[in-house]
Each structure stands twice: as C-alpha cells, then as structure tokens.
Amino acid sequence: MGSRSIVSGLVGAAALALIAAAAAHAQSAPPAGTVVDGSLKGKTLTFVSYGGIYQDGQVAALKEFVDKSGVKLLNDGPTEIAKLQAQVESGNVTWDVVDTDDFPPFVHCGKLFQKLDLTKLDVSHIPAGQVGECSVPAMNYGTVLMYKNSTYKDNPPKDWKDFFDTEKFPGTRAIDGSGSPIGGLIEQGILADGGSVDNMTPADIDKGIAKIKAIGPDTIFWKTGAESQQLAESGEADMIIMWTGRAMTAVKNGAAYTPVWKDWLVVMDQLTIPVGAKDTDASYALINAYLGKKSQEVLTEQTSYSPINTEAQPKVDASVAAFLTNTPEHAKQGYQQNIKFWVANFATASDKWTALMAGN
C-alpha cells in the first residue's frame, strides 16, 4: 500500500462541527458492530479495497456481519478512482462500499462519494478528527522516524527537528519517495525552519521542501515499503522514515532501530459510499458493522494495522503491540496534517515534490 498521509485541517472548524454532529446523532445510529439477523437476506454487496492481507483481514472482520445479516458479499479491487468515475458517470454503479486512500473522499466529496448521513453510523468510538464529510476511517497506521541505535547511542534524535539537524545528528536519511507528496513531512520541515503551519500558503510548500533538500547528498528516497524495510535490516541508513507496519516487521527481523513517536504522522485508509450506490442502507449497515469493537479487533489481529474503534483490544504479540498507533501513549503524540490545505494545493505540491524526487 502506498504512503497515504492525512491531514489535520480536516481538522479545523469543519472537523469539529462533524464531530459535534456525530455526537448529536450517536443515539439515533445503531451501536457500531450491530447486525440485525436476516436483515439483508437475498441482497448482494460489493466491497472494494486494495487486496492482499489487508483486504483478507477486512473480509474476516466482516464475517459476523455476513453470517448474521444473510448478505452475499462480493469483493473487488484494487480501488481505482477512474473506474469508479466511469461507473458514476454511466449511472451503473456496481460498487457499494469503497476503501480509498486519504485524499479522494475530500477531492471528490459529493461528486463520486456520498456525503454521509451520520444518523446511520455510530462514529462515537472513532478517534477525534478522523470523520470526514464523505468518509470514515477504515484503519490507522503511521509514518514514523526510525533511528539506528549504533549510530546515535546515548544521544538519539527525539523529534522531526532533530531529523532535519544534520550537524547535531549526522548520518544518512532515508525518505519515503514512493508516491504523492508527504504533506506531514513538508509541514515538519516548515516547523523545523522556524515557520508556522497555522495559515499555510503555497509559498510555504517551497520552505518545507527546501528544508528536506537541505539534508543534502546523504539522502535516500526509497520507492517501496519493502525497500525501506531492507534499508533498516541491512543498517544502510541512519534515520529512516517508515510506515509503522514495515518498521514493525524490520525490528522483528532483527533491525536494531528505535522509533521516535513524537509527532508521528497519522495515516488512514477511508471507507466511502459511491454516489449512485444501489442500496445505501445496506452500505451503511456494512460500514456500521465494520466500525464495531469486535470487527476492529479481528482486523488488527489479521493485519497488524491499528483499529479505529477506541474500545478495541486486539490480541497481538508484544512486537506488534509496540507499533500500534492506537495506544493511549501513541495516540496523543500523533500529528494530523492539514488535509484541507493539501487537497487545495495538491497539484502545486505534486509538481514540487516530483522535482525534489528528480534531484531538482
């Protein structure tokens, strides 16, 4: 799965309003995880996601929903926005619930994805700031700074400011260059340079990218999660920006690295209902079941992604638990980027990020 960063400005007044609305509607929505026996007998739903262990885990999380409701659940994927757009424009929408990256539900809200009716979903156990106008989170993970123990010994980096400080903390940096611009990292560059992210403008993108560029020639831009993991397991880089799942696996495989949790970058996939879905009530029922405590525990136990139900207590071993982002200690340290800004300035950020990747 690609680097999917979210952004905290979903997060301003709009997010607060959504959370308030969620609280107001919580009583009218059936509790998350509720499934009415036989309620969808004879009906078919198509669930779309990204395949592999992740989608297998999502299907496992929905097993009780399928068994009790009587619905026939079909699976499709991977999620492709162009394919969904063709369905919506033709008026022949065959997808019922779609797992997406972070940006699409904001870019296409009301056009490809329906605005959600929160009277039909219990979002009371979703972490604050993660309910969008057209989406709820499907899972959480994080982008975290990993440092090599033998390089920094008793004086390790403690935050992103240290990551950018090559004088006090010399060494090779490995950065996620797998896809879209990492808004959170650009924001951390702005902050490390003494700037503010409260009222960003397109000019601030240049400042953040300049800070990344200033790291210098000792920078590796990895292209896949597997490559980032290999860099850790071989000890090739002194600091590595990694997805928490890859970091967890690398450490389990013997990589002598330690995570820095301060301001780790929150990432989530999202669940959406397409515009033109044939049975939205059934789609809501699936999502509401998926948001339940038990379903989220199954998801984490099957995939090692963090649950998005705050009451979930998945049974995982210590090596997995160490990298879950939903623990009280980790949750309070997460950094949610300004999604409103990055959606509005995505084209500009992409051009500048592509130039950075090309060495310009």
Side-chain angles (χ1 to χ4, degrees):
M1 222 177 291
S3 170
R4 302 186 181 111
S5 2
I6 61 171
V7 220
S8 105
L10 182 175
V11 202
L16 294 176
L18 284 167
I19 296 302
H25 292 311
Q27 289 186 341
S28 58
T34 300
V35 184
V36 178
D37 286 338
S39 55
L40 299 177
K41 188 175 182 180
K43 295 189 175 185
T44 300
L45 286 172
T46 298
F47 176 72
V48 184
S49 189
Y50 291 94
I53 292 174
Y54 177 47
Q55 191 161 353
D56 289 345
Q58 291 178 302
V59 172
L62 289 167
K63 184 178 187 303
E64 183 179 16
F65 165 73
V66 171
D67 291 345
K68 290 185 69 174
S69 72
V71 74
K72 180 179 180 181
L73 186 66
L74 303 179
N75 287 279
D76 200 357
T79 300
E80 295 179 15
I81 298 303
K83 191 171 182 179
L84 175 60
Q85 184 172 354
Q87 291 184 23
V88 173
E89 290 177 351
S90 70
N92 184 26
V93 177
T94 60
W95 292 351
D96 298 290
V97 176
V98 180
D99 182 306
T100 78
D101 292 354
D102 46 6
F103 283 132
F106 298 94
V107 176
H108 305 292
C109 187
K111 300 173 184 176
L112 298 182
F113 303 107
Q114 295 185 26
K115 294 183 179 180
L116 295 179
D117 179 354
L118 294 182
T119 66
K120 297 180 179 180
L121 295 173
D122 174 13
V123 297
S124 61
H125 300 297
I126 293 176
Q130 294 195 19
V131 177
E133 191 175 12
C134 286
S135 61
V136 295
M139 56 79 166
N140 278 181
Y141 66 103
T143 296
V144 68
L145 165 59
M146 299 287 288
Y147 66 83
K148 188 176 178 181
N149 299 336
S150 61
T151 299
Y152 301 107
K153 300 183 173 67
D154 296 331
N155 183 37
K158 298 177 178 63
D159 52 28
W160 290 107
K161 188 174 181 180
D162 291 344
F163 174 81
F164 289 106
D165 192 338
T166 56
E167 290 187 11
K168 290 184 180 178
F169 299 92
T172 303
R173 269 68 163 167
I175 295 175
D176 178 357
S178 64
S180 299
I182 306 173
L185 183 62
I186 296 173
E187 289 187 37
Q188 293 300 331
I190 295 168
L191 293 169
D193 200 41
S196 170
V197 296
D198 291 339
N199 295 290
M200 287 188 294
T201 68
D204 288 311
I205 299 174
D206 291 319
K207 296 176 184 177
I209 288 183
K211 194 67 176 176
I212 298 171
K213 191 180 297 186
I215 294 171
D218 288 337
T219 306
I220 301 168
F221 290 102
W222 52 263
K223 300 301 183 185
T224 66
E227 185 182 351
S228 74
Q229 183 179 324
Q230 180 56 40
L231 287 169
E233 292 180 11
S234 66
E236 186 176 341
D238 298 296
M239 296 189 202
I240 312 175
I241 296 174
M242 300 184 74
W243 307 327
T244 46
R246 288 293 183 176
M248 174 197 69
T249 304
V251 170
K252 286 177 72 172
N253 290 345
Y257 285 72
T258 298
V260 175
W261 285 103
K262 186 177 186 300
D263 289 332
W264 61 273
L265 308 181
V266 179
V267 189
M268 65 182 178
D269 271 29
Q270 305 201 61
L271 292 182
T272 62
I273 300 175
V275 168
K278 293 180 172 57
D279 190 339
T280 56
D281 284 342
S283 297
Y284 278 113
L286 183 152
I287 294 174
N288 205 50
Y290 180 94
L291 297 177
K293 175 180 180 292
K294 184 177 177 181
S295 294
Q296 286 299 299
E297 289 169 346
V298 171
L299 177 72
T300 298
E301 290 163 2
Q302 294 277 333
T303 68
S304 297
Y305 286 114
S306 298
I308 50 81
N309 185 306
T310 55
E311 294 188 333
Q313 296 180 319
K315 294 179 175 62
V316 295
D317 64 36
S319 62
V320 174
F323 283 91
L324 291 181
T325 61
N326 69 314
T327 64
E329 180 186 2
H330 293 165
K332 68 183 179 183
Q333 297 183 81
Y335 181 87
Q336 292 185 322
Q337 314 158 71
N338 187 340
I339 198 164
K340 188 175 182 180
F341 174 83
W342 293 110
V343 168
N345 294 279
F346 186 74
T348 299
S350 293
D351 289 344
K352 296 180 183 299
W353 188 259
T354 298
L356 174 68
M357 295 299 107
N360 300 323

